[in-house]
Amino acid sequence: MKKLIKADEGEIFDIELATDLLAENERLAKINLELLKKHGVKAIDVLGSVGSGKTSLLEQLSQSLKEKYHIAVIGGDLTTTIDTDRIAKHGVDVVQVNTGKECHLDANLVAKALKEINLTQTDLLFIENVGNLICPAEFPLGSEKRIVVISVTEGPFMVVKHPFVFMEADIVIINKIDLAEAMDVSIKNLEKDVHSINPRAVVIKTNCRKGEGIDRVIDALNL
Amino acid sequence: MKKLIKADEGEIFDIELATDLLAENERLAKINLELLKKHGVKAIDVLGSVGSGKTSLLEQLSQSLKEKYHIAVIGGDLTTTIDTDRIAKHGVDVVQVNTGKECHLDANLVAKALKEINLTQTDLLFIENVGNLICPAEFPLGSEKRIVVISVTEGPFMVVKHPFVFMEADIVIINKIDLAEAMDVSIKNLEKDVHSINPRAVVIKTNCRKGEGIDRVIDALNL
């Protein structure tokens, strides 16, 4: 026996509420974008599952770019400061946003975080979202570009299972490529999956821990 | 510069709405539990990130237990049927719930799925949630037990970053233990992290693909 149920066929509780929230979030995201533009700050979202390598990427980018740009990082996490502690060691400004039980950053939380940053002296802002490939997809924050980080260790299906987050990605980073063979995951197929959802996405293969591929990320961001 | 913002200090949009939804979910979960009890069905939740090994676990459990019990599996996923297709091959009943953009199953969706299952002839029901360590934690579905599957490939911090999901876990499975060394992740520390959040959780180490540790999962479930 095999049956299929689609949530949108029935009355799931919160569809209408969600629509209102998303519209309000979009309005606030536009205000954030205006504020950032006014101060000449280029903002870049970084999304991905827990353990995909978002923080390692930001450590590498901070280290490589901090002489050229004044960098700030906003980091979202439920309750810890592990990620921003790691990034702060590279001498960039960090604001940790602890979301409690919330599964994503929203434009309202980012607006609060922006108040803690000296935007006049900031050139580049990275916003590391909560580790999650689903919820953050629907909440624009006011950034110009969106990076999605995936790792071969998440198996062969993480792209096809999360179409929404890849639709909006400018750059998709396939990380931990050194483990592809041990994981029996085809990097080529992952790349094909990304491009079948979003042909304009730039796909870059990295080993963020070791710094491999970081120069190509910097090129793709025009930095 | 290092700053910290906590979401619950400010007015995040949907706190009150969320409280109403969670109460309604809890009410429906109790109804599901009653219905399952009435039919003598033992229901078990399976939670974990994408790629952690939930489906491999359920393939192994289905294969090992299908002679002894009549098994049904409800599988949650945004848009695909990849997981339940894999499980269905083992000759158990499956109901796929596609949640669209929703990041978790809720008791309402499970109630709908239960209507598709012949409960009278079912002994054992596994409910595989959407791959996500955050949102599913707050939504009881009506099950008796909750398994959380983590994989060493998710790095060293996935437990401490997601306290809420581990607080409610009966069994925590640490999967892909064969990759711990390559990932430079300490299984011992992960186990310690689980027990510091939830001392009563039974921790079992597995390699689900190869079937290692599955017998201990079956013991822990009293099956």
Side-chain angles (χ1 to χ4, degrees), chain A residues 97-100 102 106 108-109 112-113 115, chain B residues 4-16:
Chain A
V97 180
N98 280 155
T99 60
E102 284 295 314
D106 60 38
N108 191 42
L109 286 170
K112 278 186 203 171
K115 286 185 192 151
Chain B
L4 174 65
I5 293 176
K6 290 195 180 177
D8 50 3
E9 285 170 2
E11 72 304 343
I12 189 162
F13 307 116
D14 51 354
I15 292 255
E16 265 186 57

Side-chain angles (χ1 to χ4, degrees), chain B:
Chain B
M1 189 206 75
K2 209 169 115 183
K3 303 257 169 100
L4 174 65
I5 293 176
K6 290 195 180 177
D8 50 3
E9 285 170 2
E11 72 304 343
I12 189 162
F13 307 116
D14 51 354
I15 292 255
E16 265 186 57
L17 303 178
T19 309
D20 287 351
L21 289 177
L22 292 178
E24 176 63 2
N25 183 77
E26 206 139 321
R27 193 183 67 80
L28 295 173
K30 278 183 191 148
I31 295 173
N32 289 345
L33 181 62
E34 286 307 312
L35 180 71
L36 291 164
K37 270 192 180 163
K38 197 179 107 188
H39 289 91
V41 181
K42 183 180 173 116
I44 297 154
D45 282 336
V46 182
L47 275 67
S49 279
V50 63
S52 59
K54 298 183 293 302
T55 306
S56 298
L57 171 70
L58 288 181
E59 286 189 87
Q60 292 284 354
L61 290 175
S62 298
Q63 195 60 37
S64 301
L65 294 169
K66 69 180 178 183
E67 303 299 330
K68 194 168 170 192
Y69 301 104
H70 197 110
I71 300 174
V73 176
I74 298 173
D77 191 60
L78 300 197
T79 61
T80 79
T81 62
I82 295 169
D83 298 341
T84 45
D85 288 346
R86 284 168 59 191
I87 296 166
K89 281 185 190 155
H90 298 272
V92 301
D93 294 340
V94 301
V95 182
Q96 176 71 53
V97 180
N98 280 155
T99 59
K101 292 185 171 182
E102 284 295 313
C103 47
H104 58 274
L105 292 176
D106 60 37
N108 190 41
L109 286 170
V110 169
K112 278 187 205 171
L114 291 178
K115 286 184 192 152
E116 305 294 328
I117 296 171
N118 184 339
L119 295 176
T120 312
Q121 68 169 30
T122 302
D123 306 309
L124 204 53
L125 170 68
F126 292 105
I127 306 178
E128 178 177 347
N129 218 307
V130 180
N132 180 342
L133 276 177
I134 305 174
C135 321
E138 290 193 278
F139 290 82
L141 304 175
S143 297
E144 285 176 35
K145 296 230 178 214
R146 186 182 271 190
I147 298 176
V148 178
V149 184
I150 56 179
S151 156
V152 299
T153 59
E154 293 156 20
F157 303 124
M158 94 294 260
V159 177
V160 290
K161 281 187 179 178
H162 302 96
F164 306 111
V165 78
F166 293 98
M167 278 176 201
E168 305 293 330
D170 300 290
I171 298 171
V172 175
I173 291 180
I174 303 179
N175 194 27
K176 305 188 194 173
I177 47 169
D178 53 315
L179 293 171
E181 211 179 303
M183 288 296 307
D184 195 19
V185 166
S186 157
I187 293 172
K188 217 170 166 179
N189 286 349
L190 289 177
E191 193 168 359
K192 210 163 63 185
D193 290 343
V194 170
H195 281 139
S196 74
I197 292 169
N198 177 355
R200 73 175 178 83
V202 177
V203 176
I204 300 170
K205 295 148 209 161
T206 62
N207 179 340
C208 285
R209 270 212 198 162
K210 296 202 172 158
E212 283 169 34
I214 299 299
D215 49 343
R216 288 196 298 281
V217 179
I218 292 171
D219 282 350
L221 290 168
N222 301 316
L223 292 173

